[in-house]
Amino acid sequence: MSKILIRGAKVLGGEPQDVLIDGEVIEAVGTGLSAEGAEVVEAAGKVLLPGLVDLHTHLREPGREDSETVLTGTRAAASGGYTAVFAMANTFPVADTAGVVEQVYRLGQEHGYCDVQPIGAVTVGLEGRKLAELGAMHESAAGVTVFSDDGKCVDDAVIMRRALEYVKAFGGVVAQHAQEPRLTEGAQMNEGIVSAELGLGGWPAVAEESIIARDVLLAEHVGSRVHICHLSTAGSVEIVRWAKSRGIAVTAEVTPHHLLLTDELVRTYNPVYKVNPPLRTERDVHALREALADGTIDIVATDHAPHPHEDKDCEWAAAAMGMVGLETALSVVQETMVDTGLLDWAGVADRMSVKPAQIGQATGHGRPVSAGEPANLTLVDTEYRGQVDPAGFASRSRNTPYQGRELPGRVTHTWLRGKATLVDGKLT
Amino acid sequence: MQRHLISAADLTRDDAVLILDTAEEMARVADRPIKKLPTLRGRTIVNLFFEDSTRTRISFEAAEKRLSADVINFTAKGSSVSKGESLKDTAQTLEAMGVDAVVIRHGASGAPYRLANSGWIDAAVINAGDGTHQHPTQALLDAFTMRRRLIGRDAGLGQDLSGKRITIVGDVLHSRVARSNVDLLHTLGAEVTLVAPPTLVPVGVGTWPCEVSYDLDSVLPKSDAVMMLRVQRERMNAAFFPTEREYSRRYGLDGERMAKMPGHAIVMHPGPMVRGMEITAEVADSDRCTVVEQVANGVSIRMAVLYLLLGGNEPAVTNARTNEEK
Ligand SMILES: [Zn+2]
């Protein structure tokens, strides 16, 4: 592989520097580096970040290839600046055995757009009753370290306790989709002022908060770490803040859409805004932004959830829950966190690359942009503003809530171990 | 007036009064030997019912036929509604048939809104009840009934319900009737109080333009109309209240409670009534109870709505009368 010189990029938003890639690694970072023998990428004015890492992606393969495949999903990831994604286990069949996680892992390797790290199910069939063979998935070629029944909550306190304890043997972590099932039967949207008017079944904040409260206490009791998926309420922020102050090993993620959108949008009854957990209120949005800024929430994770057109082109109650997010995540974070002054680009690198790589133990990702490190890099034109056009998505699905919305920032280049997966906004 | 009637909240005070006044004109037609107007001749209206409701469908059908519209009944109950595509597919089928209006009843809140706003169909959409969201023609017929009884048939023309105190009792949480009535009665200047066990009042009710009380007896003496909502027995299985008997004791309307209401006050019910649950037979059959009138008024209101949405600018009755007499 030849050399690449990224010239004059603002590394983590700092002073312009040159970054020289040789093969799979960063050879040098500095000013006035020689371009001899290297392909030059002019990056003046652009921001260079470590390749983004998504701890929460639904790639849908195996089983729902009509909405996404490992290939289309990893192309979407590369397009959004990601070099590693964690693929959720709610596939058909469920990723609850070594066989399924190895299949997904190998597909990611073959396609080469983005590292795919499968997440293993906590319980067999995501049914919440019997632990899946967590050790076997860890020991498989996929080397699973993150376990989640995402889409379903591990609501049985004993099963959750055992899972938290069990994965300590190999340094794993359980990622909880916090949703008390009885409190959310028939839930269609956030329970509050808007649901009362629209007559849609309410998904109360307490259904999330009560599970998080229980799980941080369980984690403390058994001395395990726990990760909270897509935290969505101001109350959840308070609980996680309290848990961290007590020294409990909890980490938490927030999705881009929960940083930007509110349940007021549901007044359109357009299912493109139907997502789980649901869009919350303005007050929640502000609490989430502040928590991401002060580190109470550790990371941004997309919960990229592709669905075919027909699953959204219907009445609200019949529609599937979820939004695609890989190709708009960084723009939404720029809009909500950077352009508002809450986070600088080094902070973005931390929340979207360094920390998610640490939580998921994604080796070689989320590393400093410095000599000797793997060349997993993302170059962003932060001056760009434009309307989101789903027709241009690499994802197989188009269920974005941002269609036609103007957002800042555009990923122009992505390198996975020195190999360009995205050049001038085009996939290789 | 807007092109569609999706929510009672979409109506201005003037829209609503116009509908009530037009309904009075329509009601006079019902008193004539020939109950038919040629107003919507040549227009096609589909009654698209995804949910069983013979009462509402018959009421719309009678209204449509009295306006001489061509009527198609499409009952989609039992088809794969849960899959979702059926609403869109059905809409496109109807569009291809060139229908002018769709009267839709659907179990999912927001389905009429989607039908009107998704580009699936060009016809006017009239919400005949969607999930636990809205039932605007029910609210209109209720307001019509109140205006007639509390102000008077002729005295009421051009009037709203300013200062009238309306109490709505029962399962507010699951009630599209309650939501529509709160919106419309507020627009018409009435003061609304909701009475229910706290479990059957939605979280978020605090922003509604009404009062909420848990004590029926304290509200009754200050009510000009008391509207009893249907309470399904099955709700007690989900712990909304302990037993049927306890519900009736605390929130049901019996003769003794009715006596606490002012002499002029009326008892209303959108039907079907669960006698012995929210209302005793004694109250249901008393002459203060307007249930039967509400049914008759429903036809007049639906004629008025269809006429105003589809009939254009020509006057309905005067013009029609001349035509008829020709
Ligand atoms: Zn989830």
Side-chain angles (χ1 to χ4, degrees):
Chain A
M1 206 178 284
S2 57
K3 292 186 176 187
I4 299 166
L5 182 69
I6 306 167
R7 189 141 68 190
K10 295 187 277 187
V11 176
L12 307 189
E15 290 304 306
Q17 288 193 294
D18 301 339
V19 174
L20 183 65
I21 301 173
D22 185 5
E24 296 193 353
V25 297
I26 297 170
E27 188 177 271
V29 178
T31 46
L33 296 185
S34 164
E36 203 184 310
E39 176 197 335
V40 177
V41 174
E42 295 295 352
K46 293 183 184 175
V47 170
L48 188 67
L49 302 173
L52 307 182
V53 177
D54 189 18
L55 201 63
H56 193 144
T57 307
H58 295 274
L59 291 178
R60 302 293 189 219
E61 187 177 0
R64 283 307 300 266
E65 290 83 356
D66 58 327
S67 46
E68 197 79 286
T69 63
V70 174
L71 176 61
T72 59
T74 52
R75 283 169 63 89
S79 192
Y82 287 88
T83 53
V85 297
F86 285 73
M88 273 299 173
N90 61 339
T91 48
F92 304 93
V94 171
D96 57 4
T97 60
V100 178
V101 294
E102 283 188 353
Q103 179 198 355
V104 172
Y105 175 74
R106 291 220 168 86
L107 284 168
Q109 294 295 304
E110 276 167 37
H111 299 316
Y113 280 98
C114 174
D115 285 347
V116 174
Q117 180 55 59
I119 291 173
V122 176
T123 64
V124 175
L126 308 175
E127 284 176 355
R129 286 198 277 274
K130 190 173 180 303
L131 286 186
E133 287 193 344
L134 309 179
M137 288 189 274
H138 175 70
E139 284 156 18
S140 75
V144 176
T145 57
V146 182
F147 299 90
S148 181
D149 277 0
D150 184 58
K152 290 191 177 171
C153 180
V154 182
D155 66 308
D156 183 313
V158 171
I159 298 288
M160 186 61 182
R161 173 198 168 143
R162 300 282 185 252
L164 288 169
E165 288 177 303
Y166 190 79
V167 299
K168 275 200 290 190
F170 41 86
V173 64
V174 176
Q176 175 71 293
H177 169 116
Q179 175 179 3
E180 210 291 314
R182 288 277 287 145
L183 283 171
T184 50
E185 281 171 15
Q188 294 285 331
M189 68 172 296
N190 180 50
E191 180 166 309
I193 290 167
V194 182
S195 67
E197 281 179 39
L198 297 187
L200 289 171
W203 199 131
V206 63
E208 173 173 309
E209 293 154 3
S210 58
I211 293 291
I212 296 176
R214 182 199 74 177
D215 287 353
V216 295
L217 292 170
L218 280 174
E220 178 179 48
H221 181 63
V222 299
S224 293
R225 67 191 181 108
V226 63
H227 178 74
I228 309 298
C229 294
H230 42 54
L231 186 147
S232 72
T233 78
S236 298
V237 167
E238 287 309 310
I239 293 163
V240 170
R241 191 172 279 138
W242 171 84
K244 286 186 167 181
S245 76
R246 240 171 110 102
I248 298 171
V250 57
T251 53
E253 69 189 35
V254 63
T255 70
H257 46 270
H258 287 112
L259 290 172
L260 182 61
L261 310 176
T262 70
D263 64 352
E264 288 293 327
L265 290 163
V266 183
R267 292 183 187 282
T268 63
Y269 284 106
N270 186 339
V272 79
Y273 301 116
K274 186 173 176 182
V275 66
N276 192 22
L279 300 178
R280 305 286 187 184
T281 67
E282 196 69 38
R283 180 175 156 264
D284 295 304
V285 165
H286 284 289
L288 294 171
R289 290 182 187 184
E290 270 166 37
L292 183 63
D294 72 21
T296 302
I297 295 176
D298 302 82
I299 66 169
V300 173
T302 65
D303 196 5
H304 177 82
H307 290 291
H309 182 64
E310 60 271 22
D311 287 0
K312 289 288 192 180
D313 194 26
C314 55
E315 57 272 30
W316 182 276
M321 290 191 266
M323 304 168 167
V324 293
L326 286 167
E327 294 172 83
T328 48
L330 190 58
S331 292
V332 174
V333 170
Q334 183 180 338
E335 168 97 350
T336 57
M337 302 298 296
V338 181
D339 292 356
T340 53
L342 288 167
L343 211 57
D344 58 15
W345 285 105
V348 172
D350 180 73
R351 308 300 195 274
M352 296 185 77
S353 177
V354 177
K355 288 273 169 56
Q358 282 170 5
I359 294 167
Q361 301 171 55
T363 320
H365 293 277
R367 301 292 305 161
V369 181
S370 55
E373 296 289 349
N376 294 316
L377 296 165
T378 293
L379 189 61
V380 193
D381 177 1
T382 58
E383 303 299 315
Y384 174 89
R385 282 196 80 88
Q387 285 191 352
V388 176
D389 177 13
F393 282 178
S395 169
R396 177 161 285 182
S397 291
R398 300 283 180 269
N399 52 304
T400 174
Y402 310 116
Q403 174 164 17
R405 185 188 277 262
E406 190 177 292
L407 287 175
R410 183 170 151 263
V411 176
T412 63
H413 293 72
T414 308
W415 290 274
L416 175 62
R417 283 182 292 280
K419 177 184 166 262
T421 54
L422 187 80
V423 175
D424 291 325
K426 291 188 180 63
L427 288 159
T428 57
Chain B
M1 287 276 292
Q2 312 198 348
R3 265 194 72 223
H4 310 289
L5 180 58
I6 305 298
S7 164
D10 299 339
L11 296 170
T12 64
R13 182 227 173 246
D14 290 350
D15 287 340
V17 171
L18 175 65
I19 294 170
L20 301 188
D21 290 351
T22 308
E24 281 294 0
E25 290 184 57
M26 297 298 178
R28 285 193 203 106
V29 174
D31 297 338
R32 293 200 232 142
I34 296 167
K35 296 180 170 44
K36 227 167 152 104
L37 297 175
T39 318
L40 297 183
R41 186 173 287 159
R43 316 295 292 275
T44 304
I45 301 174
V46 173
N47 297 317
L48 180 57
F49 276 56
F50 288 89
E51 206 183 61
D52 243 353
S53 175
T54 314
R55 307 161 62 94
T56 305
R57 188 181 51 70
I58 287 175
S59 178
F60 269 104
E61 198 174 337
E64 291 151 5
K65 288 184 169 163
R66 282 187 196 171
L67 293 171
S68 305
D70 294 324
V71 178
I72 300 172
N73 286 313
F74 189 113
T75 304
K77 199 194 169 253
S79 67
S80 62
V81 187
S82 59
K83 188 68 189 87
E85 300 120 48
S86 62
L87 177 60
K88 184 188 178 188
D89 291 346
T90 309
Q92 289 178 335
T93 305
L94 298 176
E95 176 75 355
M97 290 163 53
V99 308
D100 298 293
V102 179
V103 173
I104 177 175
R105 169 80 148 222
H106 202 291
S109 298
Y113 183 97
R114 284 286 279 163
L115 188 64
N117 292 285
S118 296
W120 298 336
I121 193 166
D122 214 33
V125 176
I126 296 155
N127 183 1
D130 63 326
T132 54
H133 178 221
Q134 283 274 329
H135 193 359
T137 58
Q138 176 72 42
L140 285 162
L141 76 88
D142 290 337
F144 182 84
T145 306
M146 290 175 209
R147 196 177 75 169
R148 267 197 171 182
R149 280 284 199 123
L150 300 176
I151 304 176
R153 189 170 178 151
D154 295 323
L157 288 175
Q159 304 291 306
D160 57 22
L161 294 169
S162 291
K164 300 298 174 207
R165 297 159 303 174
I166 316 298
T167 300
I168 301 175
V169 187
D171 185 356
V172 175
L173 179 64
H174 301 96
S175 176
R176 51 193 171 209
V177 176
R179 281 175 180 77
S180 309
N181 264 293
V182 168
D183 289 334
L184 184 69
L185 291 169
H186 172 70
T187 300
L188 290 172
E191 293 161 22
V192 183
T193 303
L194 301 174
V195 180
T199 44
L200 290 175
V201 176
V203 167
V205 77
T207 58
W208 291 13
C210 62
E211 300 292 315
V212 176
S213 169
Y214 307 133
D215 180 9
L216 181 56
D217 290 314
S218 70
V219 178
L220 289 175
K222 299 176 285 185
S223 303
D224 297 307
V226 176
M227 185 185 300
M228 304 305 296
L229 301 173
R230 189 158 85 107
V231 177
Q232 293 177 325
R233 290 196 169 87
E234 307 83 74
R235 299 287 178 215
M236 73 186 176
N237 301 331
F240 285 105
F241 49 87
T243 62
E244 198 178 324
R245 282 192 48 72
E246 172 150 327
Y247 183 87
S248 305
R249 264 200 310 271
R250 294 178 64 86
Y251 299 98
L253 192 61
D254 58 12
E256 205 176 312
R257 279 210 167 105
M258 188 166 66
K260 294 181 180 170
M261 293 164 50
H264 68 274
I266 54 172
V267 175
M268 306 180 70
H269 197 296
M273 293 185 280
V274 187
R275 287 170 193 246
M277 184 74 180
E278 72 267 6
I279 195 163
T280 61
E282 181 193 359
V283 175
D285 298 331
S286 82
D287 56 8
R288 301 176 73 171
C289 181
T290 60
V291 173
V292 179
E293 268 169 76
Q294 285 170 268
V295 174
N297 294 342
V299 178
S300 305
I301 278 290
R302 285 160 184 139
M303 287 174 76
V305 166
L306 290 163
Y307 162 71
L308 290 167
L309 288 183
L310 295 177
N313 299 318
E314 53 193 293
V317 178
T318 28
N319 221 1
R321 192 176 289 147
T322 10
N323 288 345
E324 209 176 75
E325 283 159 7
K326 259 181 214 165

